[in-house]
Amino acid sequence: MAEHCDKKKRVVVKVGTNVMTNKDNRIVGPILKSLVHQIAKLYEEDVLTVLVSSGSAIAGKEVLGDSEIQDPTTRRQVFSAVGQPRMMRHYYSIFHDYGMRCAQVLATKRDFAPGKHRDNMINCYEALLSEGIIPIANEDDAVSLTMSMFSDNDELASLVAELIDADMLILLTDTDGLFTGHPDHDDSKIIRHVQIDQDVEQYIQESEKGEGEGRGGMESKLGVAKSTAAKDIPTYIANGKRENVIVDIVQGKEVGTRFTA
């Protein structure tokens, strides 16, 4: 198995579908550019980043339009299979503008079970990071069904963070963090710090905005944040559309909701 390639800080950033799309469920290029700009800035400061990116299903839908496939799982597979190269083309082009390289790493949930597949993934991530290449992780939608599926990309991001021994996990969504009520209500306040034994599930509110082709939600993020923090990986839920959000979190500024053990 490959050794830890260096002592540089490691961050896993998961960007959700609602961050990178507009109200018409179209990919917003400037958002992707902002994310890459921040990753490039961190790289200059010797912070290594793994990006877990949603958006492939939406990107596929942009190409195919409305599908006549009735089975929702098969439809998602088709949209994602078509959309993944489209998303990677976006990322490849933007990273190239910063003189950086990226790579796609696909996985199913069973690949993270102890054994040869897990060891191979560790070797792959270590080799990519040692070469200064930004891994972009996603689910292998073409073969991920039932038991081999992640609940969503939040779960995938958590597993990747544990796999590479990350120093923190950042879950980017379209709200500023966990609130005491619905984020749009004036009397709701953001909760800045949550310890894993705190009962904050009562504050989860269903968002009025649809999730498009995404599968995650605040309930999922809360569960993932607590479970990841329990492994001594501080986890943040923050607004991916906020300017400089990733860099600010890494630099220790009070942004989003922080989960610790």
Side-chain angles (χ1 to χ4, degrees), residues 163-205:
L163 188 80
I164 68 166
D165 193 21
D167 294 282
M168 69 173 62
L169 169 63
I170 301 173
L171 302 175
L172 296 180
T173 183
D174 59 350
T175 59
D176 291 331
L178 180 64
F179 284 78
T180 56
H182 194 286
D184 293 342
H185 294 169
D186 293 337
D187 57 349
S188 296
K189 296 180 180 180
I190 190 170
I191 303 171
R192 289 296 183 190
H193 185 206
V194 175
Q195 292 184 315
I196 58 173
D197 57 351
Q198 281 183 254
D199 180 14
V200 291
E201 282 75 9
Q202 59 182 311
Y203 297 126
I204 296 177
Q205 300 289 327

Side-chain angles (χ1 to χ4, degrees), residues 13-255:
V13 176
K14 181 264 179 176
V15 53
T17 302
N18 283 345
V19 173
M20 62 176 64
T21 56
N22 57 22
K23 61 182 181 180
D24 298 319
N25 275 339
R26 305 284 294 183
I27 301 294
V28 181
I31 294 292
L32 300 185
K33 291 180 180 178
S34 173
L35 293 169
V36 173
H37 172 74
Q38 293 177 71
I39 292 171
K41 188 174 181 180
L42 290 177
Y43 185 78
E44 292 176 354
E45 299 173 359
D46 285 337
V47 178
L48 303 179
T49 305
V50 174
L51 179 63
V52 179
S53 177
S54 300
S56 59
I58 292 293
K61 194 171 184 179
E62 286 182 353
V63 174
L64 299 176
D66 292 330
S67 171
E68 295 182 0
I69 300 173
Q70 296 300 311
D71 181 70
T73 301
T74 305
R75 185 169 61 247
R76 184 181 65 83
Q77 282 180 293
V78 170
F79 282 152
S80 297
V82 172
Q84 280 178 356
R86 181 176 171 87
M87 288 300 300
M88 285 305 300
R89 185 174 64 187
H90 284 313
Y91 282 123
Y92 182 90
S93 175
I94 301 170
F95 274 111
H96 184 268
D97 290 342
Y98 285 92
M100 300 181 70
R101 298 168 295 174
C102 63
Q104 185 177 49
V105 182
L106 299 177
T108 66
K109 190 171 182 177
R110 59 191 172 202
D111 292 327
F112 287 88
K116 190 171 183 60
H117 284 193
R118 180 183 176 88
D119 292 345
N120 288 341
M121 276 205 302
I122 292 174
N123 286 335
C124 180
Y125 275 108
E126 293 299 334
L128 291 170
L129 293 173
S130 69
E131 290 292 317
I133 300 170
I134 306 300
I136 301 178
N138 211 325
E139 183 170 13
D140 192 348
D141 293 284
V143 297
S144 289
L145 294 171
T146 58
M147 295 300 292
S148 64
M149 286 178 64
F150 301 102
S151 59
D152 48 46
N153 274 347
D154 298 322
E155 182 184 19
L156 170 59
S158 176
L159 291 170
V160 170
E162 183 182 5
L163 188 80
I164 68 166
D165 193 21
D167 294 282
M168 69 173 62
L169 169 63
I170 301 173
L171 302 175
L172 296 180
T173 183
D174 59 350
T175 59
D176 291 331
L178 180 64
F179 284 78
T180 56
H182 194 286
D184 293 342
H185 294 169
D186 293 337
D187 57 349
S188 296
K189 296 180 180 180
I190 190 170
I191 303 171
R192 289 296 183 190
H193 185 206
V194 175
Q195 292 184 315
I196 58 173
D197 57 351
Q198 281 183 254
D199 180 14
V200 291
E201 282 75 9
Q202 59 182 311
Y203 297 126
I204 296 177
Q205 300 289 327
E206 289 295 328
S207 173
E208 293 177 355
K209 180 179 180 181
E211 287 289 332
E213 291 291 332
R215 305 206 301 271
M218 187 54 73
E219 184 175 4
S220 166
K221 287 173 179 58
L222 178 57
V224 165
K226 281 192 169 186
S227 64
T228 309
K231 299 168 186 171
D232 288 326
I233 303 174
T235 301
Y236 295 78
I237 297 176
N239 194 332
K241 296 183 179 181
R242 180 187 184 276
E243 185 178 0
N244 220 40
V245 59
I246 303 171
V247 174
D248 285 348
I249 289 175
V250 173
Q251 292 179 346
K253 296 181 181 178
E254 193 178 68
V255 178

